Amino acid sequence: MVQPSFSHPRSDPSSSTSSSPTAALDAFLDNQHQSYFEELYKSEAVCLCVLRSLPPVPRHIILHHLWSHQPLRTTEVKSFLQLDIQTSIQDVDEIMRPALNRKILHPMMLKKNKMLWPSNDAFKKGLRNALTGLGTSNSFGVPFDRDDDAEIPSQEVLVAYGEEAFEGILKYMVSSGLGIGFSVARPQAEVLELLHISGLMIDPTDATGQNPNLNKMTITSKGFQFLLEDRQTQLWEVLMYYLTAKEANSERSAEVLSMFFSLGCMQLGQDYSASKSFPHALSALNDLAQYGFIYRPSPDSNQFFPTHLATALCSGDAAATKSQDADEKRFLILETNYKIYAYTSNELEIAILNLFVDIRIRYPNLVVGKLDRKNVKSAMEKGISANQIISYLSSHAHPQMYNSPPPLLHPTIVDQLHLWDRERNRLKMEDTVMLEFFSKELFEDTETESKANAALQLSVPNQKFLFIEPQTKAAITDFVKERQNQLRSGF
Amino acid sequence: MSSAYGDAYAVKMTSGVLVTCDSAAKQILLHLDSMRDGPYKFMIRDVDETHIMIKREYVEEIKELLQDELEKNTYIQDPNL
């Protein structure tokens, strides 16, 4: 048996797809049409944030080309990237793919191996305005006109408020799954409905899935996976669930999405006027308040403060947002004997750890536990994968862990987690139809035929067995009968 | 066309579930099957080192039995140690 290589989970492509914190947003935007982008790019804030979300190379090329009146040409891109002039058009296309997907550039074939990319007028105009401070769409928010002596909350207060509101929702999700019962306030009904629609929580007593009892909802495996994501990913996922729910109600989502980007460009500690900044998305803004994205001094006031959850949305650089709470997030020491020391007193983090760690000792600022088979396997039964546990452990590793030679997590533990994961599904089951042959000729013909039709599951030549997909049974039977007749009449 | 051997081009078709697994797990399955009698036997065909074919109605039962068997072979540390 070939031993699989576990220690480099990064090398397998499936794990790298979800690495970007804006993966949920990207997936949403990739499915939108030209007209949707035209509407989005009316807002300067959207143009700026979309530019920031691009990978560095296309981002630089777009910026270089911003003030030009000519369409971008492939030869220019090639010389800018110092590529060989003979480089195939597909390669250049691949590099610029993110910009093409966002409809910033439109592909246009000029002649063989030459291409023009005219840029989207709305985007060009929006980005120029964003950089020069022109434009009239107020997409960066309109400051609230308040009295000079009015008291405003400090940045720390806003951060604490946002953190508390969002963690409250996460805590509620964890506690529903564990039944450890720390006193958590139930989030508002709208929040719970969204959690239900997005499939993060379900009501197990509700068979149809239509009329959930919001008080009896428990977390799903998708919900557990959500908990292990980093904050930025969680925020974008929630926003995208919100947006999809809006679309399901056949409401227009472009304005709401452009509001998300506007919030992302706002400044922490500054107050804005709701009615002037987002005249068309006031109800959506109210909904966001429930997740802690904005803070309002009183429920119906026109004044609002974006919290750090909102202002960090579009920073474009994931590391920058992490640094804010980096010290708090890096609290885990994992030893090669599977012991875990967590220097934290955060209830949410402890509850999450409790999902897959056997917690032995709790001090006010330290939790000691052990990764053991029983707890890890019960976590895996809830739908958490080994890769998620590993990425959680490494993203929360204590600075001390970096002092030992890499890799950060000891291979023993990483491999063991993967082995526990493997153990659950050692059997791969698939429905099949077995064909047993006596004639080698007929066997080989049928094998070729079923291979050509992608119907073959397994072929065992020395016993003359063929295993085919059940839905292709009728077609293969016809083929075999026809072939039988030909062979028999051959005598 | 018939001969002394019967039809040389006859083909036998059987429906079931193809199980792909490592050879250790397969040996456990063979063992489980050998413990059973008559209609309770689940194996249709022992295909090769890493494949066997079983009856569809036993799929869930087999999965559980295998897990139980694997669980027996796992060392669990005495919590009092």
Side-chain angles (χ1 to χ4, degrees), chain A residues 72-121:
Chain A
L72 186 63
R73 286 182 304 178
T74 31
T75 44
E76 289 167 359
V77 177
K78 281 179 193 167
S79 63
F80 182 70
L81 295 175
Q82 300 184 344
L83 288 173
D84 183 27
I85 201 73
Q86 301 300 335
T87 315
S88 77
I89 206 154
Q90 279 80 18
D91 290 349
V92 187
D93 201 58
E94 199 50 45
I95 295 170
M96 298 304 286
R97 176 67 33 208
L100 296 170
N101 281 347
R102 297 282 170 277
K103 311 280 187 277
I104 297 172
L105 301 174
H106 307 298
M108 194 190 274
M109 210 57 160
L110 192 61
K111 51 189 148 168
K112 195 174 171 289
N113 217 23
K114 283 226 174 108
M115 217 163 169
L116 280 183
W117 284 310
S119 43
N120 184 323
D121 284 336

Side-chain angles (χ1 to χ4, degrees), chain A residues 35-51 120-131 134-141 253-266 277-280 314:
Chain A
S35 57
Y36 194 85
F37 282 97
E38 292 291 344
E39 187 159 355
L40 275 184
Y41 290 152
K42 281 181 198 159
S43 148
E44 286 91 9
V46 176
C47 299
L48 190 62
C49 293
V50 168
L51 180 81
N120 184 323
D121 284 336
F123 180 83
K124 204 178 199 176
K125 190 160 153 253
L127 189 56
R128 285 178 178 177
N129 284 346
L131 295 179
L134 293 170
T136 50
S137 72
N138 287 335
S139 64
F140 291 103
S253 64
E255 267 154 12
V256 180
L257 183 58
S258 92
M259 181 185 76
F260 295 163
F261 286 119
S262 294
L263 284 172
C265 290
M266 288 181 172
S277 304
F278 309 115
H280 306 294
C314 305

Side-chain angles (χ1 to χ4, degrees), chain A residues 382-456:
Chain A
K382 287 174 186 151
I384 302 174
S385 76
N387 276 331
Q388 284 170 323
I389 296 181
I390 291 163
S391 80
Y392 179 87
L393 291 175
S394 46
S395 65
H396 289 73
H398 195 279
Q400 279 291 331
M401 298 264 293
Y402 290 88
N403 291 346
S404 61
L408 184 59
L409 301 178
H410 201 272
T412 327
I413 293 178
V414 175
D415 286 0
Q416 183 64 71
L417 284 172
H418 280 293
L419 285 170
W420 280 331
D421 203 358
R422 283 273 165 113
E423 223 173 75
R424 282 181 313 145
N425 29 29
R426 279 175 82 167
L427 305 182
K428 186 175 144 237
M429 309 265 193
E430 49 195 346
D431 278 346
T432 189
V433 173
M434 177 172 69
L435 287 84
E436 293 173 68
F437 295 87
F438 294 107
S439 146
K440 189 153 188 271
E441 214 178 342
L442 185 57
F443 168 78
E444 279 167 0
D445 286 347
T446 320
E447 187 188 1
T448 324
E449 169 74 9
S450 48
K451 230 181 228 165
N453 291 315
L456 188 68

Side-chain angles (χ1 to χ4, degrees), chain A residues 99-218:
Chain A
L100 296 170
N101 281 347
R102 297 282 170 277
K103 311 280 187 277
I104 297 172
L105 301 174
H106 307 298
M108 194 190 274
M109 210 57 160
L110 192 61
K111 51 189 148 168
K112 195 174 171 289
N113 217 23
K114 283 226 174 108
M115 217 163 169
L116 280 183
W117 284 310
S119 43
N120 184 323
D121 284 336
F123 180 83
K124 204 178 199 176
K125 190 160 153 253
L127 189 56
R128 285 178 178 177
N129 284 346
L131 295 179
T132 51
L134 293 170
T136 50
S137 72
N138 287 335
S139 64
F140 291 103
V142 181
F144 185 70
D145 194 13
R146 73 175 127 79
D147 309 329
D148 284 337
D149 54 346
E151 214 170 278
I152 59 162
S154 69
Q155 293 198 4
E156 288 76 33
V157 172
L158 289 174
V159 170
Y161 172 82
E163 205 62 23
E164 195 191 324
F166 197 74
E167 285 203 352
I169 298 172
L170 298 183
K171 272 184 204 165
Y172 183 79
M173 289 174 68
V174 186
S175 62
S176 77
L178 289 172
I180 47 171
F182 47 81
S183 55
V184 202
R186 204 193 73 153
Q188 271 124 319
E190 290 89 343
V191 178
L192 290 177
E193 265 163 34
L194 186 71
L195 291 178
H196 179 256
I197 293 170
S198 56
L200 297 179
M201 290 181 96
I202 48 162
D203 178 4
T205 56
D206 174 38
T208 58
Q210 297 300 319
N211 304 302
N213 181 341
L214 293 180
N215 288 317
K216 284 190 185 157
M217 296 216 295
T218 56

Side-chain angles (χ1 to χ4, degrees), chain A residues 373 423-424 426 428-436 438-439 442 458 460 463 465 467 477 484 488, chain B residues 7-14 16-22 45 47 51 53 56 67 70-71 74:
Chain A
R373 183 170 180 277
E423 223 173 75
R424 282 181 313 145
R426 279 175 82 167
K428 186 175 144 237
M429 309 265 193
E430 49 195 346
D431 278 346
T432 189
V433 173
M434 177 172 69
L435 287 84
E436 293 173 68
F438 294 107
S439 146
L442 185 57
L458 178 71
V460 189
Q463 300 193 68
F465 289 159
F467 293 88
T477 316
Q484 273 174 334
R488 280 172 188 150
Chain B
D7 186 354
Y9 297 112
V11 175
K12 193 178 160 201
M13 277 195 175
T14 326
V17 172
L18 180 67
V19 180
T20 312
C21 58
D22 56 294
R45 187 67 68 136
V47 182
H51 295 91
M53 187 169 165
R56 191 167 295 142
Q67 280 309 323
L70 292 173
E71 219 58 38
T74 310

